[in-house]
Amino acid sequence: MTPWKNRLYYGDNLPIMRDNLADESVDLIYLDPPFNSKATYNVLFREKNGSDSAAQITAFDDTWHWDMNAEETYSDLVTSGPPKLADLMQAFRGFLGRNDMMAYLTMMAVRLVEMRRVLKPTGSIYLHCDPTASHYLKILMDGVFGVDNYRNEITWKRKTGRGETNHKSNKYGVCTDILLFYSKTDRNIFNTQYNFDAPSYKEYVDKFFRHIDENGRRFMADNLASPSPRPNLIYEYKGYKPPKYGWAISQENMEKWDEEGKLYFPKNKSRRIRRKRYLDELKGKTVQNLWDDIEMVSSQASERLGYPTQKPEALLERIIRASSNEGDLVLDPFCGCGTTVTAAEKLNRRWIGIDITHLAITLIKHRLEDSFGQELAPYEIIGDPKDLESAKALADADKYQFEWWALSLVDARPAQDKKKGADRGVDGYIYFMDDESGQAKKIVVQVKSGHVSAAQVRDLNGAVEREKAAIGVFITLFEPTGPMKTEAASAGFYETEIAASHRAMRYPRLQIFTIGELLEGKFVEFPQWALESTIKKAGRVRKEGNESNQTSLL
């Protein structure tokens, strides 16, 4: 049997789920599908001086529009989808008409059908959304998973204390998100979660655990009376009269608990016997459907990567602990910056992540490597080009995705959102330091997917001078011409003196690489003794369990 490898897919999650995920193969699904008609979601890259990046790279436009694709998907749903879902989608269409919300619900419906297919009978799904669409999505989830399989609507209080701008709004501020929790059947895995740190739990302990026994153990004296008439449990014990409806336990158990020291006898026998509940036996406060104890990722948090919609790892850890067990398979079909797969890796679950942009895939790859190092379980990236032909196919399909993927081959940060204007000859940046000034030096990178010429190399040289960069890198899908190589050679060298050894080092000022060379392992020549990461590093994470346990899950 082939050992399991975790998987990170690049591409549209609908065909990926249809083509690669077997029926009833997944234990838990978490998804945070984007919908906000006035925003785009960005991956932010760190500037070398520590300030926020001025270049915000659009990972994807999250506005869904009613177009021919939405119309075709809607038609398929109402003609060949599950009958109840078909009726529901037609009702939505009659109410909403053809608009962005209807497009969003249509695209979500067809994907939720696939997610239900891949879930095991013991599986669960958590759909994370904001109030913009949560009411529609709940009805949609009822239609796909069934009303009987609704488990909870969880409210996550993600921020505190901030009202609407300038306090002039005509509505209350929004500080919560919604998580819709459904299961495939009534046999879903559920591990009750507890919380020791919630302020309300500490108040509860201080208020009720006021007694200390002869061994120094703190306890509360809990009610031992039956809440309803129990004639067979009405008996006197050691001179203490029974409550009106009788005791909650039989006389046999009363005697047993007495022997075990679990009973509290008031000095005044007119009062009732009570049960001792010891503080050190509590697991914590049971987590309910209001989650007000997990803060959003702050700007100073070690896990902060700059992704605007990044969710805290604690949120995903709670979901994964509650609705899966070690070794189970977790799926995130909109995995963004990879919080779900990071939490799954930490908790020794198998995982599959899917995202439609190479920026996200690159970010997740760096995050996993930074977080786990040698402890990282084997995984593979599927859908990104592995050879020249697949690279050409990506360039033909989407030149922006090709460019972002090509930049990832040299660990370069994209320069700007290409949809917002001309690139001025710079597609990406690499930063490094070769002296003790603390100032990072810059490498500018240009990517070309079409035919190339010496004039483009001259343009890159001009960009190097304009940007005051140390080196220029030209990445081409096709073989460079002789005049291109001559033009690059005529630019000379960048020379540096490494402080540690005082050795003069020379690097070609203009360097040309084909995609084929980069895929074969060739790399940019520049001083790497103090390489600056272009993507924010995630803090190191310790996996749960011992080494042998982790190995057994692979």
Side-chain angles (χ1 to χ4, degrees):
M1 184 176 179
T2 304
W4 168 265
K5 278 189 178 182
N6 294 321
R7 305 175 208 161
L8 198 55
Y9 285 96
Y10 160 71
D12 184 342
N13 54 34
L14 182 59
I16 288 173
M17 288 189 291
R18 284 176 171 170
D19 297 341
N20 298 279
L21 274 63
D23 294 356
E24 299 186 350
S25 60
V26 174
D27 296 282
L28 172 63
I29 299 174
Y30 169 86
L31 65 155
D32 186 6
F35 182 81
N36 183 336
S37 59
K38 297 181 180 179
T40 53
Y41 285 59
N42 308 296
V43 177
L44 305 185
F45 292 80
R46 181 181 62 183
E47 294 291 6
K48 298 305 109 183
N49 62 6
S51 65
D52 290 339
S53 174
Q56 299 190 7
I57 313 304
T58 303
F60 50 83
D61 187 331
D62 79 337
T63 303
W64 302 69
H65 302 291
W66 191 268
D67 54 17
M68 186 56 67
N69 188 25
E71 186 71 52
E72 291 176 353
T73 303
Y74 171 81
S75 178
D76 289 342
L77 281 170
V78 299
T79 57
S80 58
K84 288 185 178 180
L85 180 60
D87 293 342
L88 176 60
M89 295 307 294
Q90 291 177 86
F92 274 145
R93 173 86 167 253
F95 177 66
L96 294 170
R98 298 182 182 89
N99 57 20
D100 291 353
M101 180 62 77
M102 187 63 208
Y104 175 66
L105 295 173
T106 300
M107 295 306 180
M108 283 303 304
V110 69
R111 286 163 173 79
L112 288 170
V113 168
E114 288 302 311
M115 292 178 213
R116 185 186 182 282
R117 175 185 64 80
V118 305
L119 267 184
K120 293 180 180 178
T122 53
S124 299
I125 180 170
Y126 290 74
L127 193 160
H128 194 142
C129 50
D130 66 20
T132 308
S134 61
H135 47 304
Y136 295 121
L137 288 169
K138 188 173 183 180
I139 298 173
L140 184 57
M141 295 282 278
D142 282 346
V144 175
F145 289 90
V147 175
D148 292 342
N149 292 318
Y150 163 76
R151 292 290 166 261
N152 288 105
E153 179 174 307
I154 299 164
T155 300
W156 172 42
K157 186 178 180 182
R158 54 182 170 80
K159 63 181 179 180
T160 58
R162 200 171 81 188
E164 294 297 316
T165 306
N166 298 326
H167 304 284
K168 294 180 180 180
S169 176
N170 60 355
K171 65 176 184 178
Y172 298 105
V174 177
C175 64
T176 61
D177 278 0
I178 300 297
L179 291 99
L180 300 175
F181 169 26
Y182 283 74
S183 61
K184 178 80 169 275
T185 69
D186 61 1
R187 294 185 286 122
N188 61 295
I189 295 169
F190 189 76
N191 306 307
T192 302
Q193 298 298 294
Y194 302 90
N195 186 356
F196 284 100
D197 300 322
S200 57
Y201 177 68
K202 295 177 182 178
E203 293 171 5
Y204 165 74
V205 168
D206 292 340
K207 182 176 181 180
F208 293 103
F209 287 80
R210 295 180 286 107
H211 304 281
I212 298 177
D213 72 5
E214 63 276 9
N215 297 314
R217 296 177 71 191
R218 192 171 175 180
F219 69 92
M220 71 176 289
D222 201 3
N223 185 24
L224 198 54
S226 173
S228 57
R230 305 283 293 275
N232 61 321
L233 297 181
I234 295 177
Y235 57 89
E236 187 174 305
Y237 188 75
K238 287 190 174 181
Y240 289 87
K241 294 186 180 300
K244 179 180 178 180
Y245 295 140
W247 302 107
I249 57 175
S250 67
Q251 186 166 348
E252 181 182 0
N253 281 334
M254 184 77 82
E255 293 171 353
K256 180 182 178 184
W257 285 17
D258 192 1
E259 292 177 6
E260 294 173 348
K262 294 181 178 179
L263 299 179
Y264 174 73
F265 296 94
K267 293 179 180 179
N268 184 350
K269 288 199 174 184
S270 66
R271 301 177 67 183
R272 301 191 188 104
I273 301 170
R274 301 178 74 84
R275 176 186 178 182
K276 289 181 180 179
R277 290 190 181 274
Y278 285 99
L279 179 60
D280 57 19
E281 292 178 347
L282 292 185
K283 296 180 180 179
K285 182 181 179 182
T286 304
V287 173
Q288 308 294 314
N289 68 333
L290 173 60
W291 295 1
D292 59 356
D293 58 321
I294 298 176
E295 296 182 356
M296 63 190 300
V297 182
S298 71
S299 60
Q300 303 303 314
S302 61
E303 66 182 273
R304 179 75 177 180
L305 299 174
Y307 207 80
T309 58
Q310 182 178 347
K311 302 303 182 292
E313 289 177 17
L315 186 77
L316 272 301
E317 288 178 20
R318 174 171 292 172
I319 292 169
I320 292 171
R321 290 182 196 276
S323 293
S324 70
N325 297 315
E326 285 201 10
D328 283 352
L329 179 58
V330 178
L331 166 67
D332 187 342
F334 296 88
C335 63
C337 63
T339 302
T340 303
V341 300
T342 300
E345 179 77 16
K346 176 182 177 181
L347 300 178
N348 295 308
R349 272 64 168 176
R350 297 174 297 136
W351 53 261
I352 295 174
I354 308 172
D355 204 274
I356 201 166
T357 167
H358 278 294
L359 286 177
I361 299 300
T362 299
L363 189 67
I364 295 168
K365 184 176 85 169
H366 283 278
R367 181 176 186 175
L368 288 170
E369 292 168 356
D370 293 341
S371 295
F372 300 104
Q374 296 299 316
E375 283 192 303
L376 181 61
Y379 78 100
E380 56 184 333
I381 299 176
I382 302 171
D384 64 332
K386 299 292 193 298
D387 53 38
L388 197 56
E389 289 306 311
S390 56
K392 290 178 180 178
L394 176 61
D396 291 339
D398 190 322
K399 66 177 183 179
Y400 297 125
Q401 292 293 343
F402 170 79
E403 180 180 300
W404 291 332
W405 168 76
L407 291 172
S408 74
L409 296 178
V410 295
D411 285 336
R413 188 203 79 187
Q416 66 179 36
D417 184 349
K418 298 302 283 292
K419 297 178 182 179
K420 294 183 178 178
D423 58 24
R424 302 185 70 220
V426 179
D427 297 319
Y429 295 104
I430 301 171
Y431 292 91
F432 67 92
M433 289 188 289
D434 62 355
D435 56 35
E436 297 178 344
S437 67
Q439 298 297 312
K441 304 292 177 64
K442 183 170 23 178
I443 298 174
V444 296
V445 184
Q446 191 172 90
V447 179
K448 297 295 181 184
S449 58
H451 292 289
V452 288
S453 66
Q456 293 169 331
V457 179
R458 287 192 292 272
D459 290 342
L460 175 61
N461 195 27
V464 169
E465 295 177 359
R466 185 185 67 249
E467 296 275 334
K468 296 181 173 55
I471 294 170
V473 171
F474 191 94
I475 300 175
T476 170
L477 187 57
F478 296 96
E479 287 293 326
T481 64
M484 289 174 66
K485 296 177 182 178
T486 301
E487 191 70 36
S490 66
F493 294 90
Y494 168 73
E495 297 191 6
T496 182
E497 185 175 286
I498 299 178
S501 62
H502 299 284
R503 291 185 298 110
M505 302 292 291
R506 299 200 310 171
Y507 302 90
R509 187 170 176 82
L510 294 184
Q511 301 177 30
I512 302 175
F513 299 91
T514 66
I515 291 294
E517 289 173 330
L518 294 176
L519 288 172
E520 290 171 359
K522 198 169 182 180
F523 52 86
V524 179
E525 297 180 46
F526 66 98
Q528 298 192 40
W529 71 281
L531 176 64
E532 285 284 291
S533 174
T534 56
I535 296 177
K536 287 188 177 180
K537 283 185 174 292
R540 185 53 62 94
V541 175
R542 293 188 63 85
K543 294 178 68 171
E544 292 198 349
N546 56 43
E547 184 175 344
S548 60
N549 185 38
Q550 292 165 16
T551 303
S552 68
L553 299 177
L554 304 184

